[in-house]
Amino acid sequence: MIPLSWYLIVAAGLFSIGLFGVLARKNAIAIFMGIELMLNAVMINLLAFWRYHNPGQITGPVFVVIVFAAAAGEIAVGLAIVISAYRRNATVVADEINELKG
Amino acid sequence: MTWMQIVFIVTAAVTLGSAVRVVSSGKMLHAALWLVAALFGVAILFAMLEAGFFAVVQVLVYIGAIAILVIFAVMLTRHVMEDTGPQVIQSWWLAAILAAMVFAGLVVLIISAGFKAQLPPIQDSQTMIVALGQALVMPDGYLLPFEVASVMLLAALVGSIYIAYQKR
Amino acid sequence: MTFISDPINFIATWLRIMLANVGASPDLTAFILSVVGGGILATGAMLWVTFLIWYERKIIGRIQDRLGPNRVGPWGIFQSFADMLKIFTKEYITPNGADRVLYNIAPVLSVASVLLIWAIIPFTVTSYGVDLNVGVLFVVAVAGLGELAIIMAGWSSNNKYALLGAFRVVAQLISYEVPMVLSLLVPVLLSGSMSLNAIVKAQNVWYIFTAPLAALIFMITSIAEVGRSPFDLVESESEIVGGFNIEYSGLKFGMFFVAEFLHAFTSALIFTVLFLGGWRGPGAEQYPILGFIYFSLKNVFSYFIFILVRGSLPRFRIDQMMDLNWKVLTPVSLGLFAVVTIVAKLVQGNPNELLRGLFLLIANGVILLTTSLVMGQFAARRRRHLDERAEGQKLRVRSQV
Amino acid sequence: MLNDWLYIGIFLAISAFLPAAAIVIAGFLAPKKPNTIKNQIYECGIETVGETWVQFKAQYYIFGLIFLIFDVETVFLYPWAVAFNQMTLYGVLEALLFVLILAGGLVYAWRKGALEWV
């Protein structure tokens, strides 16, 4: 029987690895992968608390479905921005895309 | 140490190991494929949490669509110079320390909270799916987030097509 | 429940009793039973492919008015065994610069992703791998794993054409998954459950009669999902040289074809379970062996349609294929979903099952009619446009002469 | 509920093991005589021209994008479809609104010409 804290520790580990990925990577697409890891950690937490505290209530799974939609929307628009930035000044490195002119 | 706990430890090790590889691997496509391995590990965790629907949806949406979208984006922004340069910024150790502190803080919080360990009984997941379906549509349930999610998806679709589409 | 009427379940209970006598704990017996059952099911599926290859080559031969394999054994039965032996002894040539790990995982993953679907197919009322209550979504999710295997194969063989071929095929598979998932909503909606077993049990009136358009869209998209004849950009000669499996040789190359044949047969299985009522038939509840016979007869019929389509239709160009999907199949499946939900809800009141099915049939007929009218009108307009352009060119040529 | 997924896990292990075992067995049976010419990349007989990492069109990304959005839409619709029998007409119309809003996205992509395979 797996105690609830194990799930939360795995989710915290996944979250901090994703955080490191977002902070330390140069390539914009690698930053998006880090964000995906953090979103997965959130989903593990939601479902772990739903399962261990009140499986009768449906709020946990509804939140997870909304997180799926948010993650999909975010990565779709994010990668589109990265691709069009790459097309204009031929670089995907995050800190070289810094001019905001039109 | 029942066999369930052994399976959990193995899945957690696989997930966290491939997550570390996602963050630290040089070639972008290898990072994307390690991301798929990490997402598959998370899908197994969902199955162990008896939320079978979300394990399948995770494989369908994340591995079937988002991972392939990331691989397409990696392919579209192929740039030979990218692969040879250092993949990590100079002060990456600062980010590593910050992430480690976040992790340590969370673990201390989790252990001190002392969650009760017994597992409440659960009805079979068929009623969970039916309850989820009804909750998404009931006015007193989650009708508004359901419709707002569709408007958000429409905005994401139209916006990213407008940005990514390149008139030949 | 004698041996005759239900062999698989009979053996399973006998094995369980024998294991209990030996004193294995219930957990251990469940584990051993699932390992043995799964092993038999998986090896059975893999060996079944050899029959499929022979069956298909014979029928394609007959379609093209030739005999098909008949040298090795009577009617060429052992032809696919001979092919298997030959391909077992072919040398593995790995291109230099290939990404060795991914290069070897790709064929294994592509076969595994198809074999997984066999775990949830209900063969008879009692014997099925497992009654997963998210069965339909599981089938579509596993198809996603197959696309990943194709990307791995294309990327890891370090060949420009393999990479391009792999991504063209994945673009095709991805766009054909949209109408497939939307048309799969209709059986789930009518039966009120996602588990394949419950869908079969709910099919007093086969869903091909109540929702023929959903069956048609599912058939077209599963042919495209497998990459078979009208949609076969995978290894068609006129396209990019040999597609993604160009750098594979020996049994790795063979594994991609085992995966393709098995995927074609599995799509026929899913079509039978969802639309032709699986093992439903007179007496299938009491005598599961009868159910298995009905199930295999319907399978032979639906797999025959796959082969017939493969043998008789010319190949699509890639832009025609994409237009067919995005401009015809996806709008039609969205319209079908809208109409079927409204009609099913309005008609849900009356108890008579046949009447409900009739109304749904009429709704599907109306959509089929409107789509064919719209497409006919669109095609006429396009033909007029092309004629005018041809007319214009002729005038210009005559004026220059 | 849990032993369902255990069975799927065992079946995944078996169905990954079978082709791998076949490939390994064939590896022993097959001859091994690699030479440099044989291991070269197949390029219809001519030398590899230019870089292998070839550029791609934005078309692939747009198809993947529309697939992702419609995939997430079906994730919302499947629980609703399972709960269809206990649903009132009001619930059906809401799901219809959900689908129509996203069909608007498809119409936009069609009018903008993003669906053309250039």
Side-chain angles (χ1 to χ4, degrees), chain C residues 42-77:
Chain C
T43 32
M46 291 284 277
L47 294 178
W48 182 245
V49 169
T50 44
F51 166 74
L52 287 183
I53 294 172
W54 172 79
Y55 177 70
E56 175 146 355
R57 286 175 63 177
K58 271 291 198 195
I59 291 186
I60 296 274
R62 282 301 147 73
I63 291 176
Q64 295 159 357
D65 198 10
R66 56 182 170 79
L67 270 181
N70 58 5
R71 282 286 178 276
V72 185
W75 298 295
I77 307 172

Side-chain angles (χ1 to χ4, degrees), chain A residues 1 25 36 40 59 86 93, chain B residues 23 39 62 78 82 117 142:
Chain A
M1 213 292 297
R25 286 299 288 250
E36 286 308 311
N40 273 313
T59 44
Y86 174 78
V93 175
Chain B
V23 166
L39 298 178
Y62 261 98
R78 289 291 331 138
E82 227 59 51
Y142 292 87

Side-chain angles (χ1 to χ4, degrees), chain B residues 2-167:
Chain B
T2 65
W3 57 272
M4 268 288 285
Q5 288 171 340
I6 295 166
V7 168
F8 176 84
I9 289 169
V10 166
T11 335
V14 162
T15 320
L16 294 179
S18 40
V20 166
R21 287 299 296 147
V22 163
V23 166
S24 63
S25 89
K27 293 161 71 85
M28 282 314 294
L29 198 95
H30 282 202
L33 289 174
W34 280 115
L35 180 70
V36 166
L39 298 178
F40 198 73
V42 172
I44 297 170
L45 286 183
F46 286 167
M48 287 167 70
L49 277 168
E50 294 181 46
F53 173 69
F54 288 104
V56 174
V57 164
Q58 163 94 351
V59 172
L60 180 70
V61 170
Y62 261 98
I63 295 174
I66 291 184
I68 287 182
L69 202 67
V70 166
I71 290 171
F72 276 172
V74 164
M75 280 296 142
L76 277 178
T77 55
R78 289 291 331 138
H79 202 289
V80 185
M81 182 279 292
E82 227 59 51
D83 265 4
T84 50
Q87 282 304 309
V88 196
I89 54 174
Q90 289 75 17
S91 59
W92 61 272
W93 44 271
L94 199 62
I97 293 170
L98 188 67
M101 279 185 344
V102 163
F103 178 64
L106 285 174
V107 166
V108 163
L109 204 65
I110 292 164
I111 292 173
S112 63
F115 296 101
K116 50 182 172 28
Q118 45 86 9
L119 203 56
I122 183 167
Q123 76 282 45
D124 72 336
S125 74
Q126 175 70 14
T127 47
M128 185 270 268
I129 298 173
V130 169
L132 180 63
Q134 281 170 338
L136 279 178
V137 182
M138 285 302 169
D140 51 6
Y142 292 87
L143 169 62
L144 192 60
F146 179 65
E147 300 301 341
V148 163
S150 79
V151 174
M152 186 268 292
L153 285 176
L154 175 67
L157 179 65
V158 169
S160 35
I161 284 181
Y162 183 78
I163 296 170
Y165 183 61
Q166 190 185 20
K167 199 69 159 153

Side-chain angles (χ1 to χ4, degrees), chain D residues 8-108:
Chain D
I8 296 284
I10 292 169
F11 203 86
L12 177 65
I14 292 170
S15 56
F17 170 73
L18 279 179
I23 287 176
V24 164
I25 292 167
F28 293 130
L29 297 177
K32 286 188 196 47
K33 286 191 280 299
N35 60 36
T36 50
I37 300 158
K38 218 189 276 188
N39 284 352
Q40 268 164 1
I41 300 163
Y42 177 70
E43 196 75 22
C44 318
I46 49 175
E47 278 311 306
T48 314
V49 173
E51 232 336 293
T52 303
W53 316 125
V54 74
Q55 258 298 280
F56 275 78
K57 303 194 291 291
Q59 201 56 53
Y60 293 102
Y61 179 75
I62 288 178
F63 282 155
L65 175 73
I66 301 176
F67 167 59
L68 168 63
I69 300 293
F70 275 95
D71 217 10
V72 173
E73 176 200 350
T74 41
V75 161
F76 275 96
L77 283 181
Y78 265 93
W80 173 85
V82 169
F84 181 75
N85 296 338
Q86 301 87 2
M87 195 73 65
T88 64
L89 187 62
Y90 184 73
V92 167
L93 293 181
E94 275 145 26
L96 225 55
L97 181 65
F98 181 85
V99 166
L100 285 182
I101 289 176
L102 280 168
L106 186 71
V107 167
Y108 168 79

